[in-house]
Structures are given as structure tokens and as C-alpha cells.
Amino acid sequence: MPEHWLIWTVVFLAVLFDYINGFHDTANAIATSVSTRAISPSRAILMAAGLNFLGAMVSTGVAKTIGGDLVMDPAQVSLEVIIAALIGSIIWNVLTWYYRIPSSSSHSLIGGVIGAVSVSVGPAALSGEGIGKIILSLVMSPVVALVTGYFVMIGILWVVRNYSPVSLNRQFRRMQIASASLMAFSHGSNDAQKAMGIIALALLSGGYIETMEIPVWVKLACATSMALGTSAGGWRIISTMGTKIFKLEAINGFAADLNSSVVIFTATLLHLPVSTTHVVSGSIMGIGSAKRVRAVHWDVARSMLVAWVVTIPLSAGLSALIFFIIDFIVKL
């Protein structure tokens, strides 16, 4: 296959990844506000789509981390390797969406790159320091969200301790629209950049760009794709995120969105990729624990934790297998 067709295949798959990421992760931005009926599902999705797009355009720091810190030398990574990584990640995302498991698109993408590179040019081509930094960010962000979510909820409850529950519920439903908007914007600012980084890595390895700078057309393509995917909705996972971890009220939903957006946007400013799914889940668990530890459905949280742990190795295995298939076809 001519190399320019390989490049366009990478671009297509990366844009498809962002589209799937959009409907897979719609729950991150709107599950809390929809579950508390602060906003209708249709309006919530349109709002999330628009703000995801805007968020995706504000920075490229995370994209440069993904594109520049996963491998030692981009020239060693063939376009076939990147295609295998993207296909493996996409398959995992579709499977977890189908079975209503809020797994991480970020984990699947990182796992896909690790698996495809490892079997093509060997593990030595991977940047241990860069991958370590990325995985540490992915692992620590939900823990930070859980802890900060607990204290944010405690702080809010102390501030409003003298107000009536009926008045609080009405006021926080209105405030949830603002917090959900902030959450959608921060989601776009971090998640859409991961596919940008993969496209930039492909362009750099193919000699189409000279430095790890993200072309404007790549930013627009990924931001638009994620916004369109978000507008398609992700109802299967919304039910898990919004109701099955902890029964949310308006005050809890506001706290969860506010806490999640601060954690995610802080990571974006530090050029660190995080799993927005994990951050939101961690926030909900922390906020639920502030009310009562037993109020959190820890059995659901446990099953989600299993999905989080296995995503990187399983998506790595999938991408490795797909690379062997692609390599076999190319050599025919």
C-alpha cells in the first residue's frame, strides 16, 4: 500500500477513534446532570458536543505528550504499527460500550501503542520514562478525584448546612448546568488531544512534519469528530455512571462535575493525559463516601476497577495480534 494511503488510513482511524470516544464518554460530561433531571438528555448532549469541540481547540500539550513520550524515536514506528494500535483500541472501546462498561479510551489507546510497538520493533523502542509518566497520571488521577471529591462534598455540605433541602435541590439543579458545561469543556480539552497526538506521531514518522507540532487541520478534524460522537449519545454507559455507582441528588451532581472538571483541566494545563471516565467515577465515589461510605455501590465500583486494570494489557494484546495480521497481509 502506498505510504500516502497509509497516512490517510491513520487519520481516518484516529478520527474514528475520537468519534467513538465521543459517544463512549458522553456519560462523563452529562450523566450527573441528566440523572438528577437538571437538564433534558437532548439538550445535555448538544451542550456537551459544542463544549467538547471548544475544549479540544484550547491546547495541544497533551497531544504532544502522547505523540512524543510513548516511543524513543518516532522514525522507528511504522504507519502499520500505528494503524494496528488504533484498530485494537477501537475494538476494545466498542466492546466495552456494548457491554455498558465505562472503561477508559485513554488506557485502550496507550495499551494499543504499547502492544503494537512491542511486537513490531521491540519493547526497547518504547520510552520507559514517558510511559511511566503517562501511566502514573492515568492511575493517580482517579485517586486524586476520589479524595478531593470527598472533601469538596464535605465543604459544600458545611457551607449549606442551614438551608432547607427543597431550596438546595432547586438551586443546585440550576447550578448543575454550569458545572456540566465546565465538565464538557474540560473533557474536550484532554480527551480529544490523544488522537491528535497519534496523528502527529504518524506524520512525524512519515516525514510529513519536522517537529511534534499539531497542524490546525488535525485539531479541527479531531475536535469535530469528538463533538459529532458526543452528539450521538452514549446511553448505555450513562445509566452506569449516573445511577449505579451512587444515587445522585442535585448537590452531589454539582460537586461531582465541579471536582472532575478541576482535576481534568489541571492535568490538561500540566500536559498530562488522564482518563476522564476514571476521574468522573472517582469523583462520584468520593462524593458518595462523604454522605455515607455504604451509600456507594462498591460492587459496581469493583467491576469497573477490574475493567480499568485489564484495559491496557488486553488492548495491547489485541493491537499486537492485529499488527501480525496486517504484517502478514502486507507481505503477501
Side-chain angles (χ1 to χ4, degrees), residues 269-306:
L269 293 176
L270 294 173
H271 301 174
L272 294 173
V274 297
S275 166
T276 53
T277 305
H278 293 190
V279 169
V280 174
S281 300
S283 290
I284 293 173
M285 291 174 199
I287 282 154
S289 299
K291 180 177 181 180
R292 192 174 68 255
V293 172
R294 290 188 176 181
V296 179
H297 299 159
W298 294 107
D299 55 335
V300 176
R302 195 178 305 113
S303 66
M304 290 170 61
L305 180 61
V306 171

Side-chain angles (χ1 to χ4, degrees), residues 297-325:
H297 299 159
W298 294 107
D299 55 335
V300 176
R302 195 178 305 113
S303 66
M304 290 170 61
L305 180 61
V306 171
W308 298 348
V309 171
V310 303
T311 291
I312 287 181
L314 287 182
S315 57
L318 262 175
S319 295
L321 176 62
I322 290 163
F323 173 78
F324 284 129
I325 295 171

Side-chain angles (χ1 to χ4, degrees), residues 43-100:
R43 287 181 61 196
I45 285 177
L46 288 174
M47 175 195 74
L51 288 167
N52 261 310
F53 177 88
L54 292 175
M57 299 299 293
V58 300
S59 170
T60 57
V62 173
K64 291 177 183 178
T65 297
I66 292 291
D69 288 3
L70 286 174
V71 295
M72 298 293 291
D73 181 7
Q76 289 185 289
V77 182
S78 70
L79 297 176
E80 290 90 345
V81 170
I82 298 173
I83 289 170
L86 286 166
I87 292 175
S89 179
I90 287 169
I91 290 173
W92 179 256
N93 282 346
V94 171
L95 284 174
T96 52
W97 167 81
Y98 182 80
Y99 289 105
R100 307 186 184 195

Side-chain angles (χ1 to χ4, degrees), residues 5 14 23 27 59 83 118 137 142 162 181 184 186 233-234 253 260 264 267 286 308 313-314 323-324:
W5 282 111
F23 74 70
S59 170
I83 289 170
S118 295
S137 174
N162 295 324
S181 300
S186 66
S260 298
I264 294 167
W308 298 348
L314 287 182
F323 173 78
F324 284 129

Side-chain angles (χ1 to χ4, degrees), residues 14-246:
V15 168
L16 178 62
F17 171 84
D18 254 349
Y19 179 84
I20 294 171
N21 192 1
F23 74 70
H24 192 281
D25 287 1
T26 298
N28 297 344
I30 65 173
T32 57
S33 55
V34 169
S35 65
T36 60
R37 299 181 182 180
I39 187 171
S40 69
S42 57
R43 287 181 61 196
I45 285 177
L46 288 174
M47 175 195 74
L51 288 167
N52 261 310
F53 177 88
L54 292 175
M57 299 299 293
V58 300
S59 170
T60 57
V62 173
K64 291 177 183 178
T65 297
I66 292 291
D69 288 3
L70 286 174
V71 295
M72 298 293 291
D73 181 7
Q76 289 185 289
V77 182
S78 70
L79 297 176
E80 290 90 345
V81 170
I82 298 173
I83 289 170
L86 286 166
I87 292 175
S89 179
I90 287 169
I91 290 173
W92 179 256
N93 282 346
V94 171
L95 284 174
T96 52
W97 167 81
Y98 182 80
Y99 289 105
R100 307 186 184 195
I101 302 170
S103 70
S104 168
S105 299
S106 305
H107 282 212
S108 69
L109 185 59
I110 301 303
V113 173
I114 291 173
V117 171
S118 295
V119 298
S120 60
V121 291
L126 295 167
S127 170
E129 181 181 352
I131 290 175
K133 179 180 73 173
I134 290 170
I135 291 181
L136 182 63
S137 174
L138 291 171
V139 170
M140 289 304 299
S141 53
V143 177
V144 170
L146 190 153
V147 173
T148 56
Y150 176 86
F151 287 107
V152 164
M153 190 71 252
I154 291 293
I156 291 175
L157 289 174
W158 184 83
V159 169
V160 301
R161 65 190 183 281
N162 295 324
Y163 291 85
S164 70
V166 174
S167 173
L168 281 177
N169 193 52
R170 185 168 56 248
Q171 293 300 323
F172 274 103
R173 274 189 180 175
R174 295 195 188 101
M175 292 167 65
Q176 260 195 285
I177 297 174
S179 63
S181 300
L182 188 61
M183 176 60 219
F185 182 84
S186 66
H187 173 270
S189 76
N190 199 282
D191 258 25
Q193 290 194 53
K194 291 151 192 171
M196 295 181 200
I198 294 299
I199 294 175
L201 175 61
L203 294 172
L204 189 61
S205 68
Y208 292 88
I209 57 176
E210 296 181 355
T211 60
M212 186 55 68
E213 294 295 330
I214 314 301
V216 174
W217 68 267
V218 173
K219 293 174 64 176
L220 287 170
C222 291
T224 302
S225 181
M226 176 161 280
L228 290 174
T230 302
S231 67
W235 305 112
R236 288 176 177 270
I237 296 175
I238 286 175
S239 63
T240 299
M241 296 286 283
T243 61
K244 292 185 179 179
I245 301 175
F246 168 69

